[in-house]
């Protein structure tokens, strides 16, 4: 496919639109992939919507822990909706064109929501830290106003930063090609299409990604260090098991999220290839969010009881 360009001043040209090449090299699997991604999207939507519903309706879940869980489920729906509908559109129509503005918008929301997940996971770990390490002060420290402020900060904090990063990237001219070797607009494949030296943008993107990823991760690590220390000092095995069960689901989600993102974006450049990058990105952006509703529902007795009461009104907890 020949890149379409428009004049951008002087002898510099830039592309009119991009072409998302993801999965185009598998023509015989287009129908199968369409079915798989449709099922995954429905699972993400239904699973997370159920969690949001029961945290609103069930009296036993009117606590900060489940307030943040509802926010996390809302984030997951938004995060997956940035990429999956576009994948399905490409597979259904075989029209892989996306405008430069559409690409910039997709990248901006992907970065904002991914960063918001990092922040919210850190907030959720802080909630567990206060609940386990300072139980007597928990109602005071995690009052409704403070919870709302923490959730709002997680959602809104990344907005100005990631808008700025997106503007920086799309201020470049793209004249090498208009074909993005990926299934969505992500920073590395976009920078490969830019004219001239992009080292400043690469360093900036790397440092910012490290900052928005490493700071929340260090806060989570510090919280769980305190949590584990406190749990180990509990006098009974039953008390230790109960305390650990309240944060095991969150810890598993943290490992999946930060582990998949780290492997995707921070592995050596020598191991990068279009196929590997696509598979790893698919796992971190699509597959992992599909697991999260199951992790929180199957490993949390209160959530299981609430789901039973939602579907079977006569079920006794």
């Amino acid at each position: 496919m020949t890149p379409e360009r428009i004049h951008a001043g002087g002898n510099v040209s830039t592309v009119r639109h991009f072409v998302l090449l993801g999965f185009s090299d598998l023509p015989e699997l287009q129908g199968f992939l369409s079915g798989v991604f449709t099922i995954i999207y429905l699972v993400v939507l239904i699973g997370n919507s159920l969690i949001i519903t029961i945290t609103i309706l069930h009296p036993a879940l009117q606590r900060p822990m489940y307030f943040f869980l509802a926010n996390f489920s809302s984030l997951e729906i938004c995060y997956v909706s940035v990429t999956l509908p576009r994948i399905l559109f490409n597979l259904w129509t075989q029209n892989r064109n996306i405008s430069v503005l559409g690409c910039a918008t997709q990248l901006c929301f992907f970065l904002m929501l991914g960063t918001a997940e990092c922040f919210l996971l850190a907030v959720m770990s802080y909630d567990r830290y206060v609940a386990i390490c300072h139980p007597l002060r928990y109602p005071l420290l995690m009052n409704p106003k403070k919870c709302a402020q923490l959730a709002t900060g997680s959602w809104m904090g990344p907005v100005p930063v990631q808008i700025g990063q997106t503007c920086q990237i799309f201020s470049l001219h793209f004249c090498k090609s208009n074909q993005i070797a990926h299934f969505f607009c992500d920073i590395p494949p976009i920078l490969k299409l830019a004219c001239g030296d992009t080292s400043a943008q690469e360093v900036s993107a790397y440092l910012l990604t490290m900052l928005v990823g490493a700071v929340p991760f260090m806060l989570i690590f510090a919280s769980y260090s305190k949590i584990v220390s406190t749990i180990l000092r509990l006098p009974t095995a039953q008390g230790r098991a109960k305390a650990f069960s309240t944060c095991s689901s969150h810890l598993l989600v943290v490992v999946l999220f930060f582990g998949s993102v780290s492997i995707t974006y921070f592995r050596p450049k020598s191991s990068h290839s279009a196929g590997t990058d696509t598979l790893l990105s698919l796992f971190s952006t699509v597959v992992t969010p599909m697991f999260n509703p199951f992790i929180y529902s199957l490993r949390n007795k209160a959530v299981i009881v609430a789901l039973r009461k939602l579907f079977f009104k006569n079920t006794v907890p």
Side-chain angles (χ1 to χ4, degrees), residues 139-213:
L140 177 63
L141 294 175
M142 300 304 292
N143 59 71
K145 182 179 179 180
K146 177 60 68 67
C147 291
Q149 289 173 341
L150 290 170
T152 302
S154 298
W155 280 89
M156 302 307 298
V159 172
V161 176
Q162 299 299 1
I163 287 178
Q165 179 170 222
T166 303
C167 290
Q168 181 189 39
I169 291 170
F170 280 88
S171 66
L172 298 168
H173 291 295
F174 302 96
C175 58
K176 294 181 180 178
S177 171
N178 70 338
Q179 299 182 351
I180 298 176
H182 212 347
F183 59 86
F184 73 101
C185 295
D186 200 5
I187 294 177
I190 290 174
L191 288 179
K192 288 179 181 179
L193 307 183
C195 313
D197 183 18
T198 61
S199 57
Q201 286 78 12
E202 289 178 11
V203 171
S204 174
Y206 183 83
L207 291 177
L208 187 57
T209 303
M210 283 291 293
L211 180 66
V212 301

Side-chain angles (χ1 to χ4, degrees), residues 66-79:
Y66 299 105
F67 169 76
F68 293 127
L69 177 57
N71 273 270
F72 186 75
S73 293
S74 301
L75 259 178
E76 289 284 66
I77 290 174
C78 296
Y79 182 65

